[in-house]
């Protein structure tokens, strides 16, 4: 509930920061140290606190996916120092653009219904959905609402990729 974009089925996102952990986005060695910590941390979490614990080490941002005995999901990331500032920026945008919240919530639910809400399986994160909505509403206006709809772009009707598929993958 940090920014008010959770749904009844939303997971909880937790970031673990410590002096012994490096920013996991900085270098490969820092990321690997954090992953080693994550496996150790995950062993301590299960089964005491969580019904299931899985380390997703080979994702862009490695996470520990946990499920409580009541069914609540929790994603734990380690050493992602920019998470707090990103949360503040999202909250600020939400305060300045109240129309964003309902749109993000509807899109999140549609993605959940289509099983496209998990990044590690090819879906979109809530953070990505938020930025897509902001971009659509503000049209590249630096965070200020646009004065009207973006002008329609004309398309020549040529879709080379689909034409190639129709020909059975043969190029002309």
């Amino acid at each position: 509930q940090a920014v008010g974009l959770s749904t009844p089925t939303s997971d909880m996102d937790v970031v673990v920061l410590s002096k012994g952990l490096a920013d996991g986005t900085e270098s490969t060695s820092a990321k690997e140290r954090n992953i080693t910590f994550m496996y150790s941390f995950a062993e301590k979490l299960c089964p005491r606190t969580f019904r299931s614990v899985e380390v997703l080490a080979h994702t862009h941002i490695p996470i520990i996916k946990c499920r409580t005995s009541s069914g609540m999901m929790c994603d734990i990331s380690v050493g992602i120092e920019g998470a707090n500032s990103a949360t503040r920026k999202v909250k600020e945008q939400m305060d300045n653009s109240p129309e964003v919240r309902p749109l993000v919530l509807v899109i999140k639910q549609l993605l959940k219904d289509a099983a496209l809400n998990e990044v590690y399986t090819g879906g979109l994160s809530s953070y990505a959905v938020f930025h897509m909505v902001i971009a659509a509403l503000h049209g590249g206006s630096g965070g200020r609402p646009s004065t009207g709809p973006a002008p329609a772009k004309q398309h020549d009707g040529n879709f080379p990729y689909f034409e190639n598929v129709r020909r059975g993958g043969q190029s002309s």
Side-chain angles (χ1 to χ4, degrees), residues 57-76:
H58 301 292
T59 57
H60 178 65
I61 296 177
I63 60 169
I64 303 170
K65 291 197 79 60
C66 308
R67 180 184 295 271
T68 65
S69 56
S70 66
M72 185 179 150
M73 297 295 295
C74 178
D75 291 349
I76 303 171

Side-chain angles (χ1 to χ4, degrees), residues 138-160:
H138 301 283
S141 61
R144 296 175 308 280
S146 62
T147 56
K153 294 181 181 173
Q154 295 293 325
H155 192 277
D156 64 5
N158 182 21
F159 297 95

Side-chain angles (χ1 to χ4, degrees), residues 31-172:
K31 191 174 185 178
E32 292 194 7
R33 280 195 312 275
N34 290 355
I35 290 170
T36 300
F37 171 82
M38 291 172 82
Y39 279 107
S40 170
F41 188 61
E43 285 178 20
K44 292 176 178 129
L45 291 174
C46 195
R48 189 177 345 168
T49 311
F50 295 98
R51 181 173 61 190
S52 67
V53 176
E54 178 183 9
V55 177
L56 302 174
H58 301 292
T59 57
H60 178 65
I61 296 177
I63 60 169
I64 303 170
K65 291 197 79 60
C66 308
R67 180 184 295 271
T68 65
S69 56
S70 66
M72 185 179 150
M73 297 295 295
C74 178
D75 291 349
I76 303 171
S77 59
V78 173
I80 307 301
E81 294 180 14
N84 288 333
S85 64
T87 300
R88 279 192 300 277
K89 288 176 185 174
V90 168
K91 178 81 170 113
E92 182 180 307
Q93 283 278 6
M94 296 287 294
D95 291 344
N96 293 332
S97 303
E99 69 278 12
V100 171
R101 183 177 188 275
L103 292 170
V104 171
L105 291 174
V106 167
I107 294 169
K108 281 178 61 169
Q109 190 60 50
L110 291 171
L111 289 169
K112 171 106 174 143
D113 292 348
L116 293 171
N117 62 322
E118 293 287 353
V119 175
Y120 75 101
T121 60
L124 284 172
S125 69
S126 296
Y127 192 64
V129 170
F130 169 79
H131 283 289
M132 288 171 35
V133 168
I134 289 291
L137 289 175
H138 301 283
S141 61
R144 296 175 308 280
S146 62
T147 56
K153 294 181 181 173
Q154 295 293 325
H155 192 277
D156 64 5
N158 182 21
F159 297 95
Y161 172 79
F162 294 107
E163 291 300 322
N164 190 29
V165 170
R166 275 189 230 135
R167 288 192 304 269
Q170 302 163 1
S171 39
S172 52

